[in-house]
Amino acid sequence: MDTVHALLDKAGTTYAEQAGIKLADKPSPLYRLLVLSTLLSTRIKADIAVAAAKELKGYGTPRKMLDATWQDRVDALGRAHYVRYDESTATALGDGARLLLDEYGGDLRRVRGDDVAKHLRRFPRMGPVGVDIFCREAQVVWPELRPYLDRKTLDGAKKIGLPADQDELAGMVGENDVPKLAAALVRVSLDKKLADAVRGDR
């Protein structure tokens, strides 16, 4: 358990929290999580994607995202140095906002209780990676998703000597801490120095 405590202490901030998104089962924060998941899905550093999500905070509903010009979105991404994918991502965000408005009335809660992954995959850039990111974070407010500990989190568990088993890992923390555990395990899977620091704190 010392490893788990060290892990949560050093890396147990969800990506939504890092992006300033106060998750709730409401349309706007869920939409902002969808945007964050889209940004994190590309081959770009997580900190840059989080910074881009902060820059896009003013477009926190699909209607606001759609009302912004394509150039507005490109400029916001550029301010966060989200540069290699800025133009294609600006397009994807606009297309995703239109889909959410047209098919779901602007409210992601309409996918809750259904095949969430199937619906999420309809959105541009939301492949398996994006779906995993969204579900890892959304389990904060959609407890029926718990424990959502995907392959990336299990890779992180292996790196620091924890069991690579979803149920066993989830049992090491309180139910409400599973999303923090998931985010922390992803971070150690991506950062060798962090993994070494967590192991060193045992």
Side-chain angles (χ1 to χ4, degrees), residues 123-175:
F123 291 89
R125 291 276 174 84
M126 287 292 285
V129 172
V131 169
D132 282 342
I133 293 166
F134 184 93
C135 292
R136 281 197 308 258
E137 299 279 320
Q139 64 184 322
V140 171
V141 292
W142 290 355
E144 66 272 15
L145 292 174
R146 295 179 202 155
Y148 199 96
L149 297 167
D150 58 302
R151 182 182 57 79
K152 197 77 172 172
T153 62
L154 300 183
D155 287 346
K158 289 178 199 171
K159 279 195 173 182
I160 56 173
L162 291 176
D165 178 85
Q166 178 176 266
D167 292 328
E168 199 171 343
L169 282 169
M172 293 180 167
V173 297
E175 192 176 72

Side-chain angles (χ1 to χ4, degrees), residues 99 115-128 131:
L99 175 66
D115 185 342
V116 174
K118 178 187 76 174
H119 289 285
L120 291 175
R121 283 194 298 267
R122 297 186 64 196
F123 291 89
R125 291 276 174 84
M126 287 292 285
V131 169

Side-chain angles (χ1 to χ4, degrees), residues 59-82:
Y59 312 131
T61 67
R63 172 53 59 197
K64 288 179 180 177
M65 185 68 77
L66 207 54
D67 286 347
T69 66
W70 177 82
Q71 191 63 52
D72 288 336
R73 298 193 290 269
V74 169
D75 290 346
L77 293 167
R79 289 193 296 273
H81 308 292
Y82 195 98

